[in-house]
Amino acid sequence: QRVLSGRVPPSHESGAMPEQPRWIRSHVQDVIWKTYQKEINGSTADTLLELYDSQRKKSHIAEATMRILAATLKDYSNLKVARMETSSNYVPHIFGRKQFSKDTEYYWVPPSIQSGEWTPEPPVRYTGNEPVTTEKLLRFFKKWTLSHWSLKEAIEVASDLEQEVMGQANYNQRQDDRAEQEKQEMIQNMMKTLKKEKGLVDVGEMMGLKKAADTLGDADKTKTGKGDKGRRPPSKPAAAPGRSDPLSRPSKENQNQVSPEQAKKNEEEKRKARRLQLQQEEAKLREMEKRDKEKRKQRREADKQRKELKKAKEAEVRAQKAKEQERKRKKREEERALRPTTPLFAWAQSNERVLVSISVASLDKEKVNLTILDDGLAFTGRDARNRSFILSFELREFVVPSNSSWSIRYTEEPKPKPNGVTVSLHKATAHRWDRLAQNHSAVKLFMRKDWVQDDGDLEAEKEDIELPSGRNLKKVTAKSLEKLSSANVMVMVAIRYPWCDKCDDKDKHFVKAARTSNDKDHLGSVVFAVMDAREEKHFARVHNSTCNDQCPLLIFKQDEPDEPYVVPGKRFAEEIQIECYKHLLPVVSVVEEKEHFDRVTSAFDTAIVGFFQGDRKKDPWYKRFRAVARQLRGHALFGAIFEGREPRDFGIDHDAHPTLEPLRKDSRSEKTMGGEVLATGGDNGNSDLEGQNRPLILLFKPKENRHVEFVGDLTLPKLTHFSRVLSLPLLSVYDFESRQKYQELKVPLGMMWLDGEDAGRIENQWAKDILRRLALRFSGHLVFVMLNSTRDGIMMRPMGLDPRKVPSFGISATDEHESQRFGYGDIPSQTRDEFRAFWADTDRAFVRLESFCVSFLEGTLEVSHESAELPPTYRWPGPGAVHEVVWKTFRESVYRIEHDVLLELYSPFRPQHRTFATVLELVAEALAGLKTLKVARMDTGNNYVLPEFGLKEKDKERPSTFFFLRASPDQHRHPVRFGGSKKAEKLPEQLLRFVHRETRGRFDWDVDERAAWVNKETHRRIKRLKAVEKDYEKKMQEEWMQKEMEEFERYKRLGKFDNLNI
């Protein structure tokens, strides 16, 4: 029905598929009629097609020519070289090739507009002269191709290949021609030998029939005329077969007389008659032989038909058996399709991602379900035959499902079909995985490594890093740790990844602490253990174990089984043992009598005691109090008194009821009956416990002989902050040991730098008095420390303070390197007397610094940054001069002005500093006429640079980086970076053209005139500066060498080299 309706295209003759069905670029593509429509007529590439016959002459030369063309054009993806053999393949009429033609023809086939569509134009035939060479075909191909490629380069490549390839082809062709010639000569010799042995005669040669036929043919062509003039006379009838022709009866005159010529003629006629007889007999024999041959052929045909009939019956039997087997096979496949199958999959990885490619042929994309978990992957799907595929396994490590994705994978055919799923997993920890699945043996039969997608540059991590081991150190799992912690007072565990080497040094001290713990008092009951985080990944994630420099240690206590403590790794075994001592005591000591109370309040520098109205299990405030006690382990000792007992029961003269109203922000700390009341202020965070009996919280400082009551909102953050701040001394000297404690507690620090060179200065005493008053005023909010300007002056730079001007004050949010810092920069410092007068008026200085601290606590201060200092008398002269800028003046001088700004950010340690400074000065002079433009510069070594300039640490070390900032409000300025040459000679002109480009359309000025002037000045000034700087560098080098030689001679005189073998 489809054929009758014309929907089936006609079939044509087509050869067998080539040996290599998949075409490789740089090879000639062999095409048959079945693949012609797809590979040639539907290709989007320009195609050079060769149509040839399998019996063509000089086949080696033609094949070599096509191979050279394919190798020459291999780098051009839009070009293709192909060939099709015509004796076994149908050739479309559009090529105009004659049927059964033995000629080799070349065509250019235009590309299709879209892959799969037929070419829109007919092919073009090559009509050049013979012989066909590579260069002629390349020129023909270049003339017609639509793609862009270099003919000259292609001819050069072809000429390089032609010598070797064509040389081998010519040699092979000569070998074939010589073999063919020898074959023909051998056949001729065999025919001659056969004729001699059989007595055969070549009648044509013997009788000269060939020459006669040629002669007769020529004669017939020359005859012209009409009627009977051109006709031959009738010949006499021939004699019967086997008899000679009747001779004409001689006349009576010649019967008796025969001349020698006549006798010779008669003899010749007899011979002719004999030859004719022989020919007739030979024809008869041939006819008999032909009949016999026909009979034998008929017998063979009959035998063949009988055999074919027998084969047909056997084939029918086999077909029935095969049909039955196929029916059974399909039944088995249908049954097997009902059972789930595990698909094949491949995986690859980079440092941050894992790629999983699941292969399912003819996948039904409507029935795909893929689930990505943080620790596993699950896939279910069906193919076109409704076969079920299931793949599910646990990943080796965790991934981030929200950043992971998957998509359907398609084949690369003109009509793509779904054949699998591609999954991209984002690693939770960026590093190289040793394997994909946790249970590798369960999926290894279906899995392979995709080395094409795998990141080959990813360095293999050391998988043989051993976990810490030694005496008294146990290797545990999650289950064994649970049993161990329930049976021992304390268990300290190091959770480590076997591929992480950041904790090697700290773990050595951990092993040493475990080995020597039995020799220490009270540490014999502490168990030290180590756990493989990769094998126990869920346990490691619960406790936030990662590969970092902190190398945390977990402490599990028997009385707090589900709340382990996390302490950072230590660099000394003694520090680890100290942490064990800190955690041996209960988190909160329940106080029952006065003697116990006295021990609690005097054992540590800081003790915090809570007086609760209810009992231990029911009081709602106790949970918060205990949470703070856990955070301040080792920094303060916590005690709890229940059942509403009062401080006076333990000898403390203090009211039993807590102060509920906080003090005003401007109030001072008041000493009342030996105690202090601290105001916290803030929002009320106790709505859930409103109306319930609030406990009294007292902080005891035995060395300072005072105690402080916590007043205000009893929230966990404020109670924690209160306890942390008051666990430290009221006022202390900043040193390395105290710094470690500040970093652990993360408390805000009020820092006062004093003159370290002249400690007896009166300004130092005034500053200490003011700092003590501030410490009392902000007790519980800020920790105040004193620093030495000589030793700790480097810490003033991030606050924008000048180490030469001390005393100075600043606040750091914490004592960490990246914390926010705030420097008090409103001290008058134009003259020495003004600076001294500020500190001399202690009341006025205290009020101003108190206001500064209050602003910090309220969060209204602007963060300070490192800044250089300009001379007090510096003023920008105006247009035509470079404006020197530091961070303190950056916003007022660059961001908050109505000018366009050309800004240079430079390193103060750059080579040829004077030369590059002159470059910017030349640009400023050239732009002096533009009153709306400012040229400025700021060094990056001593000043903070805003993030919007995009300068990284390595960029700050570059000699110069230029930016253009268009005039706009402060928040809307967007710096445009200059990306031209960095050579001093070319830089001025390029900067002028950069400014001209950025100001185009708003200002009209002649850039060529200014560029000509600046080039002239550049050649004159910079050339002289380079010579001076070169001489200076040479002089400095000579001075350095002289000093080194003098130092060497001095050491030699002192005998430093006497014991050396020099």
Side-chain angles (χ1 to χ4, degrees):
Q1 184 177 359
R2 293 175 59 195
V3 174
L4 294 176
S5 62
R7 289 182 292 173
V8 178
S11 301
H12 297 287
E13 181 182 8
S14 178
M17 293 292 291
E19 295 180 359
Q20 296 182 349
R22 186 175 180 85
W23 173 54
I24 302 174
R25 189 165 290 281
S26 78
H27 290 66
V28 182
Q29 185 176 15
D30 290 312
V31 181
I32 61 175
W33 172 247
K34 290 182 179 179
T35 62
Y36 173 82
Q37 296 293 352
K38 174 183 176 182
E39 301 295 342
I40 304 299
N41 206 17
S43 175
T44 58
D46 293 272
T47 306
L48 180 62
L49 179 64
E50 178 190 37
L51 299 179
Y52 69 96
D53 188 85
S54 60
Q55 303 297 326
R56 63 177 173 179
K57 297 181 180 180
K58 296 185 177 180
S59 60
H60 289 287
I61 305 298
E63 290 177 0
T65 302
M66 294 298 286
R67 287 203 308 271
I68 295 173
L69 284 172
T72 302
L73 302 174
K74 67 178 181 178
D75 295 329
Y76 302 100
S77 59
N78 294 328
L79 303 179
K80 181 190 290 188
V81 179
R83 62 188 172 197
M84 185 171 72
E85 200 273 327
T86 58
S87 63
S88 58
N89 289 283
Y90 170 72
V91 180
H93 298 294
I94 195 171
F95 287 94
R97 183 179 175 86
K98 297 180 180 180
Q99 191 175 12
F100 307 114
S101 174
K102 302 292 184 180
D103 297 333
T104 300
E105 300 173 346
Y106 301 88
Y107 294 86
W108 165 70
V109 181
S112 299
I113 298 176
Q114 186 176 356
S115 180
E117 294 185 0
W118 288 12
T119 177
E121 298 179 9
V124 179
R125 181 181 176 184
Y126 169 76
T127 58
N129 299 328
E130 298 288 337
V132 178
T133 63
T134 307
E135 182 176 353
K136 291 180 180 179
L137 290 178
L138 284 172
R139 295 185 182 277
F140 162 72
F141 200 34
K142 178 64 178 177
K143 177 180 178 181
W144 293 100
T145 52
L146 304 179
S147 304
H148 177 73
W149 56 284
S150 174
L151 176 63
K152 181 179 179 181
E153 181 178 339
I155 292 175
E156 292 178 356
V157 174
S159 63
D160 295 337
L161 299 173
E162 197 166 13
Q163 183 176 2
E164 179 181 356
V165 179
M166 294 303 294
Q168 183 65 32
N170 288 327
Y171 173 79
N172 295 337
Q173 190 64 51
R174 287 194 298 270
Q175 293 291 103
D176 288 358
D177 293 343
R178 188 180 297 108
E180 182 67 22
Q181 184 178 359
E182 292 175 355
K183 178 180 177 182
Q184 294 298 330
E185 291 177 356
M186 183 179 67
I187 293 174
Q188 292 179 4
N189 293 334
M190 289 175 61
M191 293 301 296
K192 288 180 181 180
T193 304
L194 185 63
K195 289 176 184 179
K196 291 180 181 180
E197 290 178 355
K198 300 294 184 179
L200 300 177
V201 178
D202 192 337
V203 179
E205 290 181 0
M206 183 180 69
M207 299 181 64
L209 294 178
K210 294 181 180 180
K211 294 182 180 179
D214 295 337
T215 304
L216 289 174
D218 295 337
D220 290 339
K221 292 179 182 179
T222 57
K223 288 182 179 181
T224 55
K226 299 180 180 180
D228 296 336
K229 292 181 181 181
R231 296 180 181 178
R232 298 171 64 182
S235 61
K236 61 181 180 179
R243 298 182 181 181
S244 61
D245 293 340
L247 300 176
S248 60
R249 186 174 296 178
S251 61
K252 295 180 179 180
E253 299 173 347
N254 298 328
Q255 286 180 356
N256 299 325
Q257 297 179 358
V258 179
S259 63
E261 291 82 3
Q262 186 64 32
K264 187 176 181 180
K265 183 176 180 182
N266 293 338
E267 186 67 21
E268 183 68 24
E269 289 178 355
K270 289 180 181 180
R271 284 197 295 272
K272 288 182 179 180
R274 179 60 181 167
R275 285 196 294 271
L276 181 60
Q277 183 180 2
L278 292 174
Q279 290 176 0
Q280 291 175 352
E281 290 177 355
E282 185 177 359
K284 184 176 180 181
L285 292 174
R286 283 197 300 270
E287 186 66 25
M288 294 175 63
E289 184 178 0
K290 182 177 180 181
R291 287 197 297 269
D292 293 341
K293 186 176 181 181
E294 192 69 27
K295 290 180 180 179
R296 289 194 298 271
K297 182 177 180 181
Q298 291 177 359
R299 287 195 297 269
R300 287 196 301 271
E301 289 291 336
D303 293 340
K304 184 177 180 182
Q305 289 179 0
R306 285 194 298 272
K307 291 180 180 179
E308 288 179 352
L309 182 61
K310 183 179 179 180
K311 288 182 179 179
K313 291 182 179 180
E314 294 176 351
E316 184 178 358
V317 174
R318 288 195 299 270
Q320 291 179 354
K321 292 182 178 179
K323 186 176 180 180
E324 182 66 19
Q325 292 177 355
E326 181 68 16
R327 185 186 65 81
K328 294 181 179 179
R329 185 186 64 81
K330 289 183 177 179
K331 184 177 180 180
R332 288 194 301 269
E333 287 186 354
E334 291 176 357
E335 293 176 353
R336 189 165 54 248
L338 299 177
R339 298 194 301 267
T341 305
T342 301
L344 301 177
F345 65 98
W347 77 288
Q349 66 173 319
S350 63
N351 192 47
E352 297 180 350
R353 288 197 168 269
V354 175
L355 299 177
V356 181
S357 180
I358 305 173
S359 299
V360 177
S362 302
L363 177 67
D364 188 350
K365 62 182 182 180
E366 300 297 333
K367 298 181 180 180
V368 174
N369 184 16
L370 193 141
T371 304
I372 301 176
L373 304 175
D374 57 356
D375 63 340
L377 182 67
F379 165 81
T380 59
R382 293 183 178 271
D383 60 4
R385 294 184 295 174
N386 204 30
R387 293 182 59 188
S388 176
F389 294 87
I390 296 178
L391 176 65
S392 179
F393 58 89
E394 182 182 358
L395 296 172
R396 178 62 163 167
E397 298 186 25
F398 289 109
V399 298
V400 183
S402 59
N403 293 340
S404 304
S405 61
W406 65 277
S407 60
I408 302 295
R409 190 185 64 199
Y410 292 86
T411 60
E412 297 181 357
E413 300 176 354
K415 294 182 178 180
K417 299 179 181 179
N419 69 339
V421 174
T422 301
V423 187
S424 176
L425 304 175
H426 189 277
K427 297 179 180 179
T429 303
H431 80 101
R432 181 182 179 274
W433 289 11
D434 62 330
R435 62 176 186 259
L436 176 65
Q438 183 75 1
N439 189 2
H440 177 73
S441 59
V443 296
K444 67 178 182 180
L445 297 178
F446 310 96
M447 179 178 63
R448 67 176 180 85
K449 192 68 177 292
D450 188 354
W451 296 107
V452 175
Q453 298 290 337
D454 197 71
D455 187 358
D457 298 332
L458 191 61
E459 296 182 359
E461 294 170 332
K462 297 180 180 179
E463 291 297 332
D464 56 350
I465 297 178
E466 296 183 359
L467 296 176
S469 60
R471 185 162 57 93
N472 296 337
L473 189 60
K474 298 181 179 181
K475 186 174 182 180
V476 297
T477 62
K479 293 184 179 179
S480 62
L481 177 62
E482 183 179 358
K483 297 179 180 179
L484 200 64
S485 59
S486 62
N488 294 273
V489 177
M490 182 190 300
V491 179
M492 179 174 280
V493 185
I495 303 178
R496 300 289 182 258
Y497 289 91
W499 46 264
C500 180
D501 58 355
K502 294 182 178 180
C503 299
D504 289 349
D505 294 336
K506 294 184 178 180
D507 285 343
K508 291 178 182 178
H509 298 285
F510 177 70
V511 173
K512 182 180 178 181
R515 186 175 63 251
T516 60
S517 62
N518 288 338
D519 301 333
K520 305 294 182 181
D521 295 336
H522 308 294
L523 295 185
S525 60
V526 178
V527 178
F528 293 84
V530 63
M531 179 184 292
D532 189 338
R534 187 168 59 185
E535 298 298 334
E536 302 291 338
K537 59 182 179 181
H538 294 282
F539 184 88
R541 183 174 65 172
V542 169
H543 297 286
N544 299 321
S545 295
T546 59
C547 178
N548 55 41
D549 297 330
Q550 295 292 325
C551 307
L553 302 172
L554 269 64
I555 299 177
F556 290 84
K557 294 204 64 183
Q558 191 176 24
D559 56 343
E560 303 174 72
D562 299 329
E563 300 175 292
Y565 294 91
V566 181
V567 296
K570 305 298 181 181
R571 296 190 177 275
F572 299 98
E574 293 75 12
E575 293 180 330
I576 297 175
Q577 293 171 350
I578 290 174
E579 290 293 337
C580 294
Y581 281 118
K582 289 180 180 179
H583 292 79
L584 281 176
L585 295 175
V587 60
V588 178
S589 299
V590 178
V591 179
E592 298 289 348
E593 53 190 22
K594 185 177 184 306
E595 184 179 357
H596 190 193
F597 178 83
D598 294 338
R599 289 200 305 269
V600 170
T601 55
S602 60
F604 272 55
D605 292 341
T606 303
I608 302 175
V609 180
F611 294 84
F612 297 90
Q613 301 298 321
D615 59 7
R616 180 177 180 180
K617 295 182 179 179
K618 297 182 180 180
D619 196 298
W621 299 95
Y622 178 67
K623 292 183 179 179
R624 295 185 183 180
F625 187 76
R626 184 175 178 275
V628 175
R630 285 180 54 82
Q631 295 185 18
L632 295 180
R633 272 275 194 176
H635 301 288
L637 186 61
F638 283 76
I641 301 173
F642 297 97
E643 303 297 338
R645 300 182 66 180
E646 300 181 0
R648 289 186 175 87
D649 297 339
F650 298 91
I652 303 299
D653 189 10
H654 197 285
D655 191 0
H657 301 286
T659 304
L660 298 180
E661 294 295 331
L663 298 179
R664 297 187 306 274
K665 292 183 180 180
D666 58 349
S667 65
R668 303 291 185 266
S669 299
E670 299 178 359
K671 291 192 175 182
T672 306
M673 299 176 65
E676 298 178 11
V677 179
L678 178 67
T680 61
D683 299 332
N684 188 1
N686 304 317
S687 58
D688 54 340
L689 301 177
E690 190 73 29
Q692 301 189 28
N693 294 327
R694 171 180 166 149
L696 172 67
I697 308 297
L698 296 180
L699 186 143
F700 294 86
K701 303 289 287 186
K703 290 185 178 181
E704 300 176 11
N705 195 21
R706 67 187 180 101
H707 65 268
V708 181
E709 178 188 356
F710 175 79
V711 177
D713 298 330
L714 191 56
T715 60
L716 181 60
K718 293 181 180 179
L719 181 58
T720 303
H721 180 77
F722 162 80
S723 303
R724 285 179 175 175
V725 173
L726 289 180
S727 65
L728 298 169
L730 187 65
L731 183 62
S732 61
V733 177
Y734 186 88
D735 54 19
F736 178 77
E737 294 181 359
S738 59
R739 180 181 184 184
Q740 186 175 4
K741 183 173 290 188
Y742 299 147
Q743 291 177 347
E744 291 178 1
L745 295 177
K746 297 181 180 179
V747 293
L749 298 179
M751 300 175 150
M752 180 71 76
W753 281 271
L754 304 176
D755 190 351
E757 296 181 356
D758 186 4
R761 280 180 57 188
I762 188 62
E763 290 90 340
N764 285 356
Q765 187 60 42
W766 293 335
K768 289 180 181 179
D769 294 340
I770 295 172
L771 190 64
R772 182 171 296 277
R773 293 173 63 184
L774 289 174
L776 292 173
R777 167 66 177 90
F778 295 99
S779 177
H781 295 282
L782 295 173
V783 177
F784 290 87
V785 294
M786 295 179 291
L787 299 92
N788 189 315
S789 64
T790 305
R791 183 189 62 210
D792 306 317
I794 193 171
M795 300 177 66
M796 301 176 67
R797 294 184 60 184
M799 295 189 180
L801 300 177
D802 189 354
R804 297 169 297 182
K805 299 176 182 179
V806 287
S808 293
F809 182 75
I811 299 177
S812 177
T814 63
D815 200 20
E816 296 177 339
H817 179 68
E818 300 296 334
S819 65
Q820 294 182 342
R821 300 178 187 271
F822 308 86
Y824 184 73
D826 294 339
I827 302 177
S829 58
Q830 296 291 336
T831 63
R832 181 67 181 177
D833 294 336
E834 290 181 353
F835 186 78
R836 179 185 176 89
F838 174 83
W839 293 106
D841 190 353
T842 55
D843 291 335
R844 181 169 173 268
F846 171 76
V847 171
R848 296 182 66 175
L849 293 180
E850 180 191 29
S851 176
F852 180 74
C853 295
V854 170
S855 299
F856 166 76
L857 294 175
E858 293 176 349
T860 59
L861 283 183
E862 183 178 358
V863 179
S864 300
H865 295 288
E866 181 180 4
S867 177
E869 294 289 338
L870 290 175
T873 58
Y874 175 78
R875 297 292 184 274
W876 178 48
V882 180
H883 190 173
E884 300 290 344
V885 179
V886 296
W887 169 246
K888 289 182 178 180
T889 63
F890 182 82
R891 294 188 183 277
E892 289 73 15
S893 302
V894 176
Y895 265 34
R896 296 170 183 169
I897 60 173
E898 298 178 354
H899 298 77
D900 294 338
V901 180
L902 176 63
L903 176 65
E904 178 191 22
L905 300 178
Y906 68 93
S907 171
F909 308 107
R910 59 182 172 179
Q912 299 180 349
H913 173 72
R914 187 62 255 173
T915 300
F916 282 99
T918 304
V919 167
L920 196 64
E921 292 170 0
L922 283 172
V923 174
E925 293 179 18
L927 298 174
L930 295 178
K931 304 301 182 182
T932 58
L933 178 69
K934 176 190 283 190
V935 180
R937 63 183 164 208
M938 182 176 73
D939 77 271
T940 57
N942 300 307
N943 292 282
Y944 172 73
V945 180
L946 289 171
E948 52 257 37
F949 287 93
L951 288 185
K952 300 179 181 179
E953 289 299 326
K954 61 179 181 180
D955 295 333
K956 292 182 180 181
E957 298 177 0
R958 291 183 177 179
S960 296
T961 308
F962 296 92
F963 296 89
F964 182 85
L965 294 92
R966 182 171 295 181
S968 59
D970 189 359
Q971 293 83 5
H972 300 284
R973 282 191 182 255
H974 300 289
V976 180
R977 189 166 183 168
F978 169 70
S981 173
K982 302 300 182 183
K983 293 184 178 180
E985 294 83 355
K986 300 180 180 180
L987 196 54
E989 181 182 357
Q990 291 188 359
L991 287 174
L992 285 177
R993 298 192 180 278
F994 170 64
V995 173
H996 183 262
R997 185 182 72 239
E998 295 299 326
T999 58
R1000 186 181 302 163
R1002 296 186 296 125
F1003 307 108
D1004 186 14
W1005 52 284
D1006 190 354
V1007 66
D1008 294 329
E1009 178 183 355
R1010 298 173 192 254
W1013 177 85
V1014 82
N1015 284 334
K1016 180 180 178 181
E1017 290 296 316
T1018 299
H1019 181 73
R1020 183 175 64 85
R1021 298 188 197 179
I1022 293 182
K1023 185 176 181 181
R1024 183 174 68 251
L1025 270 175
K1026 278 192 169 183
V1028 172
E1029 288 187 339
K1030 187 175 181 180
D1031 293 341
Y1032 177 75
E1033 291 177 358
K1034 184 177 180 181
K1035 180 181 178 182
M1036 294 297 294
Q1037 185 176 7
E1038 290 176 353
E1039 290 180 356
W1040 179 81
M1041 288 295 296
Q1042 181 65 26
K1043 291 181 180 179
E1044 289 294 318
M1045 289 301 297
E1046 292 177 356
E1047 191 70 12
F1048 177 78
E1049 292 296 336
R1050 187 174 69 85
Y1051 272 64
K1052 189 175 181 181
R1053 288 195 302 271
L1054 294 175
K1056 298 289 186 180
F1057 309 121
D1058 293 345
N1059 296 329
L1060 299 178
N1061 297 324
I1062 299 179

